[in-house]
């Protein structure tokens, strides 16, 4: 028992002592396993819906996806902001600040989830109209959205806060176990009980509830951790809330931007009148989400390393982490694009028996895959600035990539037809990555580790002996 407790305490200290390469590999492997597991669920869920209910139901689920993306954006906002504060607080030896940041993270998300649930249920019909749900698709979309909105408070397990203290195995468990529950529930509810698209929604909520239960146990009941959340930590704390929102807002805007892009793309496809294009887009979104999960894992695995080492004043370790992560995400994106160019045809055929639809979907997959080498760069650089508590450059990257690049390209190129709409995706990824790299290379002043808690005490890795010599008094 004593050795187990010591190991748990060493998880946090290891963020500032272990070799960066091996540490980044370990954290990225765990986070990639986590998000890839969810990616597998996204694909299996799409397959169960398409095969068990029909292609119209799959389109309906994709139309409601912006609602899920909005919930994900809120949880990512508070998770990224809270994790940044927690990592830096632990790095500078301030466990109370870490507990307060985690408690306020719970408070903000629960409040936002309740507001989204109430407003979403009250305004469900106009919301579905706005999202483009028409004809036979609308009934499926209504059933799915109703259940997902009702269970929105369960939509996160706060795994980013778990990673912030170095507990990678439990963070992975918060993803893997709920997803396994969802994969078991989907066929049981869709095929076994014949609940159709409602079964897919209940399967999603069931898995989320498991994640929420594990999270509550970890943060409020488990002992032998660097900090524990008390009722006092759930009270709003002005400085913590301001920093949490400031650091996390770029993630919210990125998530909201992705929601907006999906909304515009679905509406433009509907306006263009191509009956196959919406199904091709729905399948491509699911496949791309799965394929690019490792890039998300690399960014998430990088975050606690940069935050903790920034808090301890070990800037060189933080910079080395960023360089290695950037190389990894570009190399993976290139490899993923090459593989998808080869396997697009059988992959598309797995989602439909219609030969024309499969051929069109394969073509869309190949076009979108051209942007994979650049897709992870923008998010990774924005995450780097967030982990260091630098909200402004992260904000510029997150907002600029959507408002100044992706949406204008989508709107303008779609005027020339559906093929040009598909081209806008890889082109936007390339231009966004170039802009993010330009911001990264701008000389910026060293962060002052702002935020609640004691000031940072910078500790060089190898202090020189001369520094302890006494100067003669004058």
């Amino acid at each position: 028992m004593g050795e187990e407790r010591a190991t748990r305490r060493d998880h946090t200290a290891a963020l500032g002592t272990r070799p960066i390469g091996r540490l980044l590999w370990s954290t990225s492997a765990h986070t990639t396993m986590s998000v890839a597991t969810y990616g597998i669920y996204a694909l299996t869920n799409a397959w169960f819906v398409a095969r068990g209910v029909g292609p119209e139901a799959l389109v309906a689920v994709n139309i409601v996806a912006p609602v899920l993306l909005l919930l994900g954006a809120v949880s990512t906002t508070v998770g990224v902001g809270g994790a940044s504060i927690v990592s830096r607080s632990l790095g500078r030896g301030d466990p109370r600040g870490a507990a307060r940041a985690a408690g306020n993270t719970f408070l903000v998300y629960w409040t936002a989830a309740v507001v989204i649930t109430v407003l979403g249920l009250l305004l469900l019909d106009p919301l579905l109209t706005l999202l483009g749900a028409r004809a036979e698709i609308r009934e499926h979309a209504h059933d799915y959205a109703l259940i997902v909105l009702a269970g929105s408070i369960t939509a996160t397990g706060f795994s980013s806060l778990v990673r912030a203290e170095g507990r990678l195995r439990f963070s992975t468990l918060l993803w893997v176990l709920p997803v396994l529950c969802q994969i078991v529930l989907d066929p049981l509810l869709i095929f076994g009980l014949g609940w159709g698209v409602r079964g897919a929604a209940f399967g999603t909520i069931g898995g989320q509830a498991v994640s929420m239960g594990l999270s509550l146990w970890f943060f409020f009941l488990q002992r032998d951790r660097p900090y524990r959340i008390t009722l006092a930590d759930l009270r709003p704390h002005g400085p913590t809330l301001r920093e949490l929102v400031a650091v996390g807002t770029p993630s919210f805007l990125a998530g909201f931007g992705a929601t907006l892009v999906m909304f515009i793309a679905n509406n433009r496809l509907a306006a263009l009148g191509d009956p196959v294009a919406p199904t091709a887009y729905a399948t491509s979104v699911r496949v791309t989400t799965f394929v690019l999960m490792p890039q998300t894992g690399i960014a998430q695995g990088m975050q606690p390393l940069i935050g903790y080492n920034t808090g301890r004043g070990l800037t060189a370790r933080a910079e080395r982490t960023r360089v290695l992560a950037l190389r990894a995400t570009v190399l993976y994106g290139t490899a993923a694009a090459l593989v998808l160019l080869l396997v697009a045809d059988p992959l598309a055929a797995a989602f439909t028996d219609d030969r024309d639809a499969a051929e069109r979907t394969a073509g869309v997959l190949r076009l979108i895959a051209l942007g994979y080498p650049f897709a992870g760069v923008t998010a990774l650089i924005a995450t780097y600035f967030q982990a260091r508590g630098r909200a402004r450059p992260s904000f510029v990257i997150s907002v600029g990539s959507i408002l100044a690049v992706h949406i204008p390209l989508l709107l303008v190129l779609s005027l020339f037809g559906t093929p040009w709409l598909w081209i806008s995706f890889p082109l936007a990824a390339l231009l966004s990555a170039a802009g993010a790299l330009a911001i990264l290379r701008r000389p910026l002043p060293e962060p002052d580790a702002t935020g609640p808690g004691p000031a940072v005490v910078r500790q060089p890795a190898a202090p020189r002996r001369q520094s302890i010599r006494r100067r003669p008094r004058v």
Side-chain angles (χ1 to χ4, degrees):
M1 181 64 71
E3 292 181 358
E4 182 180 355
R5 292 179 179 179
T7 301
R8 288 175 178 175
R9 288 192 295 267
D10 288 344
H11 283 307
T12 304
L15 297 176
T17 56
R18 287 183 60 191
I20 288 294
R22 282 184 288 175
L23 194 57
L24 179 62
W25 172 262
S26 176
T27 56
S28 297
H30 279 85
T31 52
T32 298
M33 183 187 302
S34 301
V35 293
T37 302
Y38 184 80
I40 292 173
Y41 168 68
L43 287 178
T44 56
N45 177 260
W47 189 88
F48 287 139
V49 171
R51 295 293 183 174
V53 188
E56 296 84 5
L58 178 60
V59 174
V61 170
N62 192 61
I63 284 177
V64 178
V67 177
L68 296 175
L69 288 175
L70 178 60
L71 288 169
V74 173
S75 65
T76 301
T77 299
V78 297
V80 168
S84 176
I85 301 174
V86 167
S87 291
R88 286 179 286 129
S89 296
L90 293 176
R92 61 178 175 247
D94 180 23
R96 290 314 313 152
R100 186 167 55 240
N104 277 240
T105 299
F106 275 84
L107 176 66
V108 173
Y109 177 75
W110 286 340
T111 302
V114 170
V115 171
I116 291 173
T117 296
V118 173
L119 292 179
L121 293 178
L122 290 176
L123 304 173
L124 184 54
D125 285 329
L127 175 63
L128 292 175
T129 301
L130 182 66
L131 293 174
R134 301 180 178 91
E136 68 279 0
I137 294 175
R138 189 178 184 89
E139 182 179 355
H140 292 306
H142 182 277
D143 291 343
Y144 191 79
L146 182 68
I147 298 167
V148 167
L149 282 169
S152 62
I153 199 169
T154 67
T156 182
F158 300 97
S159 62
S160 58
L161 297 181
V162 179
R163 285 195 305 274
E165 62 182 78
R167 296 290 299 277
L168 300 177
R169 290 182 180 178
F170 193 83
S171 173
T172 303
L173 183 66
L174 282 173
W175 284 81
V176 173
L177 188 58
V179 167
L180 291 177
C181 292
Q182 290 169 333
I183 292 176
V184 170
L185 287 174
D186 267 3
L188 176 63
L189 299 178
I190 294 174
F191 295 101
L193 299 182
W195 287 5
V197 74
R198 289 176 296 172
F202 276 118
T204 298
I205 299 301
Q208 291 176 176
V210 172
S211 179
M212 180 180 179
L214 290 171
S215 177
L216 293 176
W217 171 80
F218 180 84
F219 285 104
F220 293 93
L221 299 177
Q222 190 184 29
R223 300 183 181 275
D224 305 318
R225 293 181 51 243
Y227 67 91
R228 286 186 66 191
I229 301 175
T230 64
L231 291 178
D233 297 319
L234 293 172
R235 297 171 185 166
H237 182 255
T240 300
L241 288 174
R242 284 192 294 270
E243 186 180 9
L244 189 153
V245 173
V247 175
T249 293
S251 293
F252 173 80
L253 294 174
F256 181 77
T259 302
L260 189 58
V261 167
M262 287 192 65
F263 166 73
I264 294 173
N266 280 319
N267 277 270
R268 288 300 301 146
L269 290 171
L272 290 170
D274 188 336
V276 179
T279 302
Y281 181 54
T283 303
S284 299
V285 167
R286 295 301 180 99
V287 172
T288 297
T289 298
F290 173 72
V291 172
L292 297 185
M293 284 294 178
Q295 290 183 330
T296 303
I298 293 169
Q300 291 182 356
M302 172 192 75
Q303 186 175 9
L305 276 66
I306 290 179
Y308 183 87
N309 286 288
T310 297
R312 290 198 63 82
L314 304 176
T315 307
R317 284 178 61 86
E319 289 300 303
R320 178 63 176 165
T321 301
R322 187 261 303 167
V323 170
L324 292 177
L326 191 57
R327 291 176 184 172
T329 197
V330 172
L331 288 174
Y332 172 79
T334 302
L338 294 175
V339 171
L340 195 60
L341 291 175
L342 295 175
V343 303
D345 289 314
L347 191 59
F351 288 88
T352 180
D353 293 326
D354 188 310
R355 179 173 298 179
D356 180 57
E359 291 178 355
R360 293 279 301 279
T361 300
V364 174
L365 285 171
R366 289 191 174 96
L367 279 175
I368 293 179
L370 297 178
Y372 286 0
F374 321 106
V377 173
T378 306
L380 186 140
I381 295 175
T383 301
Y384 162 77
F385 284 118
Q386 286 176 304
R388 297 196 65 174
R390 305 299 299 275
R392 182 174 297 179
S394 181
F395 177 87
V396 172
I397 292 170
S398 300
V399 175
S401 64
I402 297 296
L403 295 184
V405 180
H406 207 142
I407 291 178
L409 283 174
L410 180 59
L411 291 173
V412 172
L413 294 183
S414 65
L415 296 176
F416 300 96
T418 305
W420 286 96
L421 184 148
W422 305 132
I423 292 173
S424 72
F425 287 98
L427 184 58
L430 171 62
L431 296 178
S432 297
L437 287 170
I439 293 175
L440 178 65
R441 282 171 170 74
R442 288 182 58 191
L444 295 171
E446 282 299 311
D448 57 2
T450 56
V456 174
V457 178
R458 299 194 176 274
Q459 301 176 358
R464 298 179 181 177
R465 293 184 179 181
Q466 287 84 348
S467 63
I468 62 175
R469 292 178 181 176
R470 296 183 180 179
R471 294 182 179 179
R473 295 185 180 179
V474 179

